[in-house]
Amino acid sequence: MGRAKTAPTRILILGGGYVGLYTALGLQRKLRGGEASVTVVDPQPHMTYQSFLPEAAAGAIEPRHVVVPLRRVLKRCHVLTVRVTKISHGEKKVTVEAPDGHQEDIAYDVLVVALGSVARVMPIPGLAEQGISFKTIGEAIYLRNHVLSKLDAASSCADDELRRKLLTFTFVGGGFAGIEALGELEDMARYATRYYENIEPSDLRWVLVEAAGRILPEVRESLGVYTVLQLERRGIEVYLSTLAESFEHGHVILSDGTEFDSDTIVWTAGVKSNPVLASSDLPIDDRGRLRAKATLQVDGVADAWTAGDNAAVPDLSRIDEDPAALCAPSAQHAVRQANLLAKNIVAVLRDREPKPYFHRNVGSVATLGLHKGVADVYNVKVKGFIAWAMHRGYHVARVPTFNRKFRVVADWLLGGLLRREVISMGQINNPRAEFDRVSRA
Ligand SMILES: Cc1cc2nc3c(=O)[nH]c(=O)nc-3n(C[C@H](O)[C@H](O)[C@H](O)COP(=O)(O)OP(=O)(O)OC[C@H]3O[C@@H](n4cnc5c(N)ncnc54)[C@H](O)[C@@H]3O)c2cc1C
């Protein structure tokens, strides 16, 4: 039996990240009662404000405050905590897997694909066993506790070689995520050394490896050069135009012949489109992204929309210089595209024309630790404290909901008044260890 003609249109949003959350927020605001139902599907019950992950890792922001609970803010939507495994747009259904492992199909009328990106992993020996990426709140919490627990382990380590390995932290990839994570964690660990009698800041070794000849491709080259100089001034070793060749057993080998042991390997060498798309019947480009029109409709397909990191959206602001220009994977584009996406879906439901996406990149801001940053905004380059303050100001204005803004500002004020908290909760990374030990005693 077909659906009643008057039944509300079923809108299904895959992914509850920047695009998914902002699209759902826009739809629940704009849709009339009974016009459409909105369902958001994500294996996490929250949206992660990824730009704050470095500060969450450094302890400047409480981790719970950089995520936005989907059920709490999407009161007029249905939220399903399941993972999409297959998209069959021809049959207007997606297959999802629940946390208990069972699979089921969800039918829809209109699809929004906002599955974002995943870490681009290379076949480097030892990477899968030793590495960790930096994209989720779990990874940020893990790294904070991991780095601080290495200081604890090193402080009572009698073996010099092992101590050096424990205190060596390697980051691969010089984009925003890698540089901000490195900058914040190094800053935090250096601060923490004041509480250890036998660890000096100079005992810590921080290494950045980047395959390209520069870092931070999102800002102008001169600002990238400035950032390298700042990192080096802090004692961080920066290897440009260098490839990581092996991480086996925590022994790092670089393409210039450099070798050292490192107990921490953070892999931030770029992202690729969500692999679920490769097994869908939707059109993808050579980099696995959904081919999109400027209106954010999936190219050549009815009733399918997309935006964000998993979409190849034409960048109309650069079309004169490069007709094939595409929007870069950034939060800046994701949020703006999502706002337009909600408007366009409502327009089409009401038989109006969708509008094309146009946004001229205004620049970027990045944090490099407490009171340190770089920014390149409206063609003005800014460094140091002012850039850091701009980073905080920009992102607190962007983080969704007043509730989160308030909590983040409160965290910053508390940190300023009571100083940083640098206690290691390394036990969180293996919470059953203590119970296991007493059970076996
Ligand atoms: C550490 C870090 C710092 C960053 N800093 C900045 C910055 O300062 N400025 C900036 O512009 N950009 C920044 N970015 C990039 C920015 O966060 C991304 O461009 C943005 O998140 C893209 O939004 P999205 O909605 O496409 O993807 P996401 O926000 O990643 O959302 C994708 C969602 O899909 C869900 N999902 C994944 N697989 C499935 C599945 N199989 N089924 C269902 N759901 C699934 C995920 O759980 C996630 O919630 C940063 C990224 C990182 C990692």
Side-chain angles (χ1 to χ4, degrees):
M1 207 166 66
R3 299 184 72 236
K5 266 191 174 167
T6 50
T9 304
R10 296 163 303 178
I11 302 173
L12 181 62
I13 302 178
L14 308 185
Y18 282 69
V19 171
L21 174 68
Y22 276 100
T23 304
L25 282 172
L27 287 172
Q28 77 173 8
R29 218 174 17 245
K30 290 178 207 328
L31 287 169
R32 294 191 280 257
E35 192 175 14
S37 70
V38 180
T39 302
V40 180
V41 170
D42 197 299
Q44 303 304 328
H46 55 73
M47 175 261 195
T48 305
Y49 192 79
Q50 292 173 1
S51 312
F52 274 151
L53 287 180
E55 287 201 59
I61 305 176
E62 161 68 29
R64 276 183 187 77
H65 300 164
V66 307
V67 299
V68 183
L70 295 175
R71 288 186 174 83
R72 179 167 169 173
V73 298
L74 298 176
K75 293 207 173 71
R76 293 184 57 211
C77 302
H78 308 284
V79 175
L80 300 178
T81 308
V82 293
R83 179 181 296 279
V84 176
T85 54
K86 193 167 174 221
I87 304 170
S88 311
H89 190 63
E91 300 169 63
K92 292 263 179 99
K93 68 167 197 195
V94 299
T95 308
V96 297
E97 185 181 270
D100 66 6
H102 90 270
Q103 301 232 351
E104 64 179 81
D105 291 342
I106 305 178
Y108 61 83
D109 301 306
V110 173
L111 184 69
V112 177
V113 187
L115 293 168
S117 51
V118 297
R120 187 162 37 103
V121 185
M122 314 254 179
I124 300 175
L127 175 59
E129 297 79 28
Q130 306 289 331
I132 181 164
S133 70
F134 193 76
K135 233 182 132 24
T136 67
I137 193 67
E139 288 165 338
I141 296 171
Y142 171 86
L143 270 172
R144 170 177 175 69
N145 289 315
H146 172 85
V147 168
L148 290 171
S149 65
K150 293 299 146 189
L151 266 61
D152 288 327
S155 73
S156 50
C157 177
D159 176 339
D160 279 353
E161 211 174 305
L162 177 59
R163 183 182 144 100
R164 260 197 306 280
K165 181 177 183 179
L166 291 167
L167 294 180
T168 300
F169 307 94
T170 308
F171 286 66
V172 186
F176 258 96
I179 296 297
E180 290 193 319
L182 167 65
E184 287 284 349
L185 283 165
E186 188 273 343
D187 200 50
M188 173 198 73
R190 188 159 25 82
Y191 178 88
T193 56
R194 70 187 59 196
Y195 300 113
Y196 294 83
E197 279 173 15
N198 58 353
I199 302 182
E200 294 297 321
S202 55
D203 293 338
L204 307 182
R205 184 176 184 192
W206 295 81
V207 181
L208 172 70
V209 184
E210 166 57 52
R214 58 162 299 189
I215 61 165
L216 293 181
E218 301 86 346
V219 298
R220 275 176 287 173
E221 188 159 5
S222 54
L223 218 49
V225 171
Y226 167 82
T227 307
V228 170
L229 291 174
Q230 289 307 307
L231 296 179
E232 286 181 337
R233 192 172 292 172
R234 283 159 63 173
I236 298 169
E237 296 168 36
V238 181
Y239 291 85
L240 298 178
S241 308
T242 307
L243 298 173
E245 293 190 335
S246 177
F247 300 111
E248 265 182 319
H249 311 296
H251 183 68
V252 182
I253 304 179
L254 304 181
S255 56
D256 68 353
T258 306
E259 293 190 29
F260 55 90
D261 287 336
S262 175
D263 220 20
T264 307
I265 290 154
V266 185
W267 181 260
T268 53
V271 293
K272 62 174 188 183
S273 183
N274 196 303
V276 172
L277 300 178
S279 59
S280 79
D281 56 357
L282 292 166
I284 54 173
D285 71 0
D286 54 350
R287 294 176 61 187
R289 296 167 299 188
L290 278 187
R291 287 209 308 270
K293 295 200 267 191
T295 51
L296 307 175
Q297 286 157 304
V298 177
D299 203 6
V301 179
D303 301 324
W305 302 77
T306 190
D309 284 9
N310 73 179
V313 178
D315 186 348
L316 298 186
S317 74
R318 292 194 292 134
I319 212 93
D320 291 342
E321 50 197 88
D322 176 8
L326 296 172
C327 295
S330 74
Q332 201 179 123
H333 280 302
V335 172
R336 286 181 170 83
Q337 288 172 353
N339 290 335
L340 178 70
L341 188 45
K343 285 186 194 145
N344 278 352
I345 290 177
V346 174
V348 169
L349 281 179
R350 295 175 189 167
D351 293 324
R352 293 201 306 264
E353 283 300 308
K355 294 202 168 102
Y357 175 73
F358 182 95
H359 171 63
R360 199 178 294 283
N361 194 334
V362 293
S364 304
V365 285
T367 169
L368 299 176
L370 196 61
H371 302 161
K372 307 167 191 79
V374 286
D376 188 353
V377 181
Y378 292 112
N379 277 327
V380 179
K381 291 187 285 182
V382 190
K383 305 162 186 171
F385 180 85
I386 297 176
W388 170 81
M390 285 168 68
H391 174 269
R392 283 199 161 180
Y394 174 80
H395 284 296
V396 83
R398 291 280 155 197
V399 69
T401 79
F402 176 74
N403 182 301
R404 259 45 201 168
K405 292 183 205 302
F406 190 82
R407 287 173 191 266
V408 166
V409 172
D411 287 340
W412 287 337
L413 288 175
L414 272 180
L417 283 172
L418 306 178
R419 311 179 84 184
R420 276 174 193 246
E421 189 57 84
V422 284
I423 183 76
S424 155
M425 297 256 213
Q427 205 186 24
I428 287 178
N429 294 341
N430 191 4
R432 293 200 69 257
E434 181 61 11
F435 188 63
D436 260 4
R437 201 176 59 79
V438 293
S439 310
R440 277 187 273 108

